Amino acid sequence: MPPTGKDALRTRVQELVDKNPVMVFSKSYCPYCIQVKELFTSLGKEYVALELDECDDGSSIQEVLHELTGLRTVPSVFVNKTHVGGCDKTLQAHRDGTLQKLLDKDAVTYDYDLIVIGGGSGGLACSKEASSLGKKVMVFDYVVPTPLGTSWGLGGTCVNVGCIPKKLMHQAALLGHSLKDSRKFGWEYDEQVQHNWDTMRQNIQDYIGSLNWGYRVSLRDKNVRYENAYAEFVEPHKIKATNRKGKESFFTAEKFVIATGERPRYLGVPGDKEFCITSDDLFSLSYCPGKTLVVGASYVALECAGFLAGIGLDVTVMVRSIFLRGFDQEMAEKAGAYMESHGVKFIKKFVPTSVEQLEPGMPGRLRVVAKSTESDQIIEGEYNTVLVAVGRDSCTRKIGLEKIGVTLNERNGKIPVNDEEQTNVPSVYAIGDILDGKWELTPVAIKAGRLLARRLYGGANLKCDYINVPTTVFTPLEYGCCGYSEEKAIEVFGKEALEVYHTLFWPLEWTVPGRDNNKCFAKIICNKLDYERVVGFHVLGPNAGEITQGYAAAMKCGLTKEKLDETIGIHPTCAEIFTTMEVTKSSGGDISQKGC
Ligand code: FAD
Ligand code: NAP
């Protein structure tokens, strides 16, 4: 006869304890129960929880547990059939390592504690930190060459084909401008000034080479095993790695971090992959690109168009809709207008439909046909180079995620994670550009990677804060911002809740050369219902990145307009403008600058 009454409950409790490696008897509203469940989640350990408040016989089960363990309260935690205790005892066991030993009792052994796929900004930060915390770590990095065959070394996008060469080429362009200004400051030179692409490219590539080398050395110093191979999942805890020669090897790990980044998207029109380049090719291009068409109007497109024009090339940007989607449009328009006044041509509301090679060469000649997005109008033009900068695709579709059940956002290929960067598969985490709905910026990937390793292996609980992340677009006139755009702030807080302070300004350095007065612009968006807290910070001017970084720290501390007014400026700088802003947008007052 099957047991009845209390006997049946005893059998049920015993079965739950025997069947589940981690069994938590819990109550859904109990904060201590939540704490232990969060602990197991953070350890990547699956657990089964029986919520006694949601069972009809919950109080009887609690009595059985009392009989069995001497513990009346919840949580009551069992690991591999051993009763650990309640919340305090479980946390203590975690601290002194006995919990891990219990968890490992029947555990399979793996080659590594952690395997990181992708040796870019996020992956390198995470793997080095995990190794410093005593874990056995391996990192894979492999660059699939571009359709034109361009490839690069360890370090990911930022170092090789992103932030670093971009900022250095931006600097090359700024120096050109400074050279022109310098005459007004007394510098005299007779020779014709010209720019040499090969010199710039070679010196920048040499510097990048030194960074690639530095990354290899630091991985070795930190005891992280690095393999230059393409990694993909074959089982939940196993990956296949394929090296350049096609040799396959297999490795297992307890946990995985996916940090595979993104690669440029193509247009999908005839001739694009054959004849166009992307930012992945541009920075190491072995010849000067000449007359260039840049397709796209976001970060990458405008930055590249800006420095190419700045070193003296004939540059046209083909814009499908607006500048810098997602950014404050008043600022974006002003950044674009400055580029236009400095020689960049814009073809607005057109998209390319084909690219044809007229003549091969370095550079060759290309014909681009484009159609209007608003009418039937077709136009065509001839260029030496077409740079496609129409966004980037996540490298998540060819890494075997379907084999292990990691959920992707099918629309954009990004990986959704919880606030601890954990995917729906508890042993798999993701960081950096591939995250759904997060920033695609190097410092964000680094911070997320480092904090993840500390939470997994260092007993820390600090999570990556994705709010008020500052960023700068390195257009010829740099645009830095932190917090909400004006459009988004209106959507979130309502127009009536906001006060916008704004002003044009003229950097002192530009006065003597007599250039670009009333082009630089500063704007803050304040929430009147919250002590005029600054919810949006925007600056368009030289060194905008440097300025924004400082004010971003102040925003983290809850910056208000009053605090800005109390702050004494540093004179003469551009940054001081934020300490003296008086004109509100709603007043319609004059914001032009008459002098210093
Ligand atoms: P990545 O740095 O892209 O690293 C991913 C690595 O994984 C790559 O090396 C890739 O080859 C490798 N990989 C992919 N799949 C596999 C696999 N299956 N096996 C092994 N290896 C694999 N950000 C800023 O903050 N400031 C800037 O000024 C800035 N400028 C930029 C300019 C350009 C032109 C571009 C394109 C980007 C720029 N960014 C900038 C963005 C920044 O580069 C990224 O946000 C950052 O590199 C993301 O880091 P990550 O670790 O997510 O990926
Ligand atoms: P993006 O922000 O996704 O912008 C894509 C651009 O291409 C948009 O202007 C878009 O126009 C246009 N576009 C898309 N499809 C097109 C088509 N078929 N024809 C013509 N135009 C098309 O991409 P991104 O500039 O490559 O930047 C990617 C990420 O890298 C950014 O989100 C950023 O975080 C990071 N990044 C950072 C920096 C920095 O920190 N300074 C610099 C570069 C990149 P619509 O607006 O019409 O869609």
Side-chain angles (χ1 to χ4, degrees), residues 166 262 265 267 295-301 303 318-322 324-325 350-352 389-392 433 439-441 471-474:
K166 180 278 304 290
E262 299 183 310
R265 188 176 302 149
L267 286 160
V295 185
S298 200
Y299 266 112
V300 176
E303 290 182 338
M318 190 172 281
V319 183
R320 178 168 73 174
S321 58
I322 55 170
L324 296 173
R325 181 176 297 284
F350 273 86
V351 288
V390 294
R392 296 168 61 78
D433 281 6
W439 293 89
E440 294 165 19
L441 295 168
T471 181
T472 290
V473 188
F474 293 94

Side-chain angles (χ1 to χ4, degrees), residues 328-335 486-487 502 521 523 585:
D328 188 291
Q329 281 303 295
E330 184 182 24
M331 306 302 292
E333 278 297 324
K334 285 184 190 297
E486 197 173 331
E487 295 84 349
H502 63 172
F521 186 57
K523 168 161 98 171
K585 205 172 202 182

